[in-house]
Amino acid sequence: MTATVSTLDPAAKARRLAADDLQRQCAHWQAAASAFLDAEEFAPASAWAELESQTGLPLRQRLGAAVDDLVGLGGRTRTLAQGAARSPTDLVRASRAVQVLRRRYTQVETTLDFFGDAVSSRTSPGLRSTMRLLDGLADASMRPVLVAARQPVPPSLTYVKPGMGASILRAGIRLWSPGTINPVAAIKIVRHNLYRPTSLFHETGHQVAHLTGWTPSVRTAMAAALADDPALQRMWSPWASEIAADAYAFLHTGFASVSALYDVVGDTRTVLRWPVGDPHPIGWLRTRLGCAFCRAAYGAGPWDRLEAAMLAEHPIDRAEPQLQPLLARSSARMPQLAPAILAAHVPGLGGREMRTVIDPRRVSPAALGEFERAAGSSAWTSPHWRRTEGIRLVALAGLREAELPGSAPEWITRARRWMTGAAA
């Protein structure tokens, strides 16, 4: 007959009480984990259904595997908890297992919450149409390069959030739950830039640069352009990843990417600041580099006015005194830096330049003007153009908004209408 707690010696009684509580804790975490078996716990079925199959299916499968592993861990932990009273060793083993279970629960919950929140951000028909379009544009921006590099093209999941800057959770990285690899490129688009999404191509640039090995080449190209100024080399080298992504956005959308970027980085409090450890270039230099990309590819143009406006609004003498010489010397090197970055070879492309696959001349003001004339008003209403020239339509709308301030509201409205499908 099994002894009751009251008949056990003090040590055994203490183990029994602790073992009973471990079983209780285990039951709690098991029940909580079992709720994750229903994907609607984090996002409604209608939201999951909105995802393209190539995105939603692998994502659901990967998340489901993480939940199955968690539930399995719960079962094994429960078995240990049931035998925890047998000996001090069994009690310690079971106690540790319960702690592992609760930590794993939190990790899986964080993963599911992130993707559930992303999927659920598609809250209205117009927004769902826009996000599906952005998923497609993300794919279109990565596919030519990754196919040429013989790399798989990851599915894209865009989602909308408040804030100033976009971000990416790259496909292929480990997620919060152990053993779970992210199967999609999850790209945050901030609400204020939802209908001017040039930042989308900055984020896909991070994914492409990682898969093709482009960032180290950009760093090497910058170092060579700054070879006689070690202080500038040290300054610019940590920015290589963000600069590569900026260059990728420029190759896709031209001047539109530069003007949109300035709206993000042009805060008086930060545009001339160099925070320690920040991988992003100083906003003032980042904007000047974007304008230099435009000059390197197209010559003179509206970017010259944007740069002059920035210099008038944020003169260099407002920077910290010790930073001003670095800013001045960096500015003088823009004619060498910009072409060097655009010409950086891509290991994944056999040493070719990125612009041999993504030609920036397709989004020059002249080329966009010719496209606008050829397509006529149907450019903004035709499903054909929406499907085949979406990236250039982003570039065109952004260019017109930037170069024609008086009609900017009309261009913003036009971009919103074609992206939501309202103009179709």
Side-chain angles (χ1 to χ4, degrees), residues 196-207:
R196 187 185 55 177
T198 57
S199 59
L200 175 69
F201 310 112
H202 174 98
E203 303 308 332
T204 59
H206 279 303
Q207 182 76 61

Side-chain angles (χ1 to χ4, degrees), residues 232-321:
L232 289 189
Q233 284 184 328
R234 290 191 296 271
M235 182 185 201
W236 283 77
S237 180
W239 298 336
S241 176
E242 295 298 331
I243 288 172
D246 280 352
Y248 200 75
F250 166 75
L251 293 175
H252 280 85
T253 55
F255 179 48
S257 71
V258 182
S259 62
L261 173 66
Y262 179 57
D263 285 348
V264 172
V265 304
D267 188 307
T268 301
R269 297 167 299 176
T270 59
V271 68
L272 285 160
R273 188 179 300 170
W274 186 12
V276 176
D278 190 343
H280 297 87
I282 297 167
W284 194 87
L285 289 177
R286 199 174 175 187
T287 304
R288 299 204 73 175
L289 180 62
C291 294
F293 285 155
C294 293
R295 278 191 289 272
Y298 313 133
W303 38 89
D304 299 317
R305 293 195 301 274
L306 173 67
E307 186 174 49
M310 185 196 73
L311 295 176
E313 188 174 0
H314 308 292
I316 194 173
D317 59 12
R318 291 184 183 170
E320 294 291 331

